[in-house]
Amino acid sequence: SLISAKVDLIMANATPAVVAAANATKTIPVLGTSVTEYGVALGLENFNGTVGTNVSGTSDLASLEKQADMILEWKSDAKNVGLLFCSAEANSQYQVDEVQKYLEAKGVTCKQFPFTDTNDMSAIVRDAADWSDAIYVPTDNTVADNAGIVDGICRPAKIPVFAGEEGICKKCGVATLSISYYELGEATGKMAVKILKGEATAAEMPIEYAPSETPKYNAEICEALGITPVEGYAPIA
């Protein structure tokens, strides 16, 4: 319907919307936001930071190396870290692969716990909680929508969950490196202005990232697990 309306630009929030828009038009500029990794989302080989088509936008990806460090900062004695994600989300697979690489380089044993959808999510979360000293969850849409399942299993089991973004952490996590989605949206809007004014094209615009990451923790879950917050982390409001 947007294409039929002959809009000048499509702004798409999150990976499924960006992929749908990119598949629907090769001429109308598409700006994405809250997309973790454009190369993975769009199936691009040798992605170098610029899509090169009518698609550009902003990414909500916090440094995966820093996220791996965060887990060990909070749980220095962790030997087994479970990586929980929805296998239907390519961006989630990318994130856990990268975090696993960084953790294993530090001598930590990692195991991936993919679930296909909410039907098998509870069983997989239980398996992860039974095996893990700590669990990492990336910016995963399915987990975000069903974080209560993770919390309902991991909190009673005293297994800390570390999240790739604040929304998930607020529902089931101990700590996260948070970006500002407000700032991300503002950056996307500024990109849109440049395109609409004819100052730039989506094809030449590199993907932009959040300017900074804020270390945050979930005070309620920390208290429930008997975890003392790490210095330098702010409580999630």
Side-chain angles (χ1 to χ4, degrees):
S1 62
L2 292 174
I3 294 169
S4 298
K6 298 181 180 180
V7 298
D8 297 312
L9 183 145
I10 295 174
M11 296 190 73
N13 184 27
T15 299
V18 172
V19 172
N23 289 337
T25 178
K26 302 303 179 186
T27 56
I28 298 174
V30 175
L31 285 181
T33 189
S34 303
V35 176
T36 305
E37 218 287 334
Y38 282 77
V40 173
L42 299 175
L44 305 175
E45 294 185 7
N46 302 317
F47 175 63
N48 63 2
T50 302
V51 175
T53 64
N54 61 318
V55 180
S56 188
T58 57
S59 169
D60 61 357
L61 181 64
S63 167
L64 295 171
E65 184 173 10
K66 290 181 181 178
Q67 291 184 49
D69 290 339
M70 171 187 67
I71 297 170
L72 297 180
E73 188 177 17
W74 281 78
K75 184 72 174 172
S76 59
D77 60 346
K79 302 298 182 184
N80 300 316
V81 174
L83 306 168
L84 178 69
F85 66 104
C86 179
S87 59
E89 299 187 34
N91 277 319
S92 296
Q93 181 73 67
Y94 168 79
Q95 290 173 80
V96 298
D97 286 346
E98 290 295 301
V99 169
Q100 179 171 348
K101 180 179 68 177
Y102 291 124
L103 286 174
E104 289 180 343
K106 297 177 181 294
V108 177
T109 300
C110 296
K111 184 176 180 180
Q112 295 189 8
F113 290 89
F115 57 89
T116 54
D117 53 37
T118 54
N119 292 323
D120 65 340
M121 186 174 177
S122 293
I124 298 300
V125 174
R126 289 191 185 93
D127 289 344
D130 289 341
W131 183 86
S132 309
D133 300 320
I135 290 175
Y136 171 75
V137 178
T139 55
D140 186 288
N141 294 313
T142 308
V143 173
D145 291 338
N146 299 276
I149 294 175
V150 179
D151 188 48
I153 294 170
C154 293
R155 196 190 306 203
K158 302 296 184 181
I159 302 298
V161 175
F162 298 92
E165 60 95 13
E166 182 176 336
I168 294 175
C169 189
K170 190 172 184 177
K171 298 174 183 176
C172 68
V174 166
T176 186
L177 294 181
S178 176
I179 67 164
S180 169
Y181 281 92
Y182 182 91
E183 290 180 355
L184 204 64
E186 187 174 45
T188 314
K190 290 178 179 178
M191 295 173 77
V193 169
K194 290 180 181 179
I195 292 174
L196 295 173
K197 285 186 172 182
E199 297 173 357
T201 66
E204 65 191 23
M205 281 184 162
I207 302 302
E208 295 189 15
Y209 295 82
S212 62
E213 300 146 350
T214 303
K216 292 190 176 184
Y217 71 93
N218 186 321
E220 179 184 341
I221 293 182
C222 283
E223 183 177 357
L225 299 185
I227 296 175
T228 301
V230 172
E231 185 177 352
Y233 283 73
I236 295 174

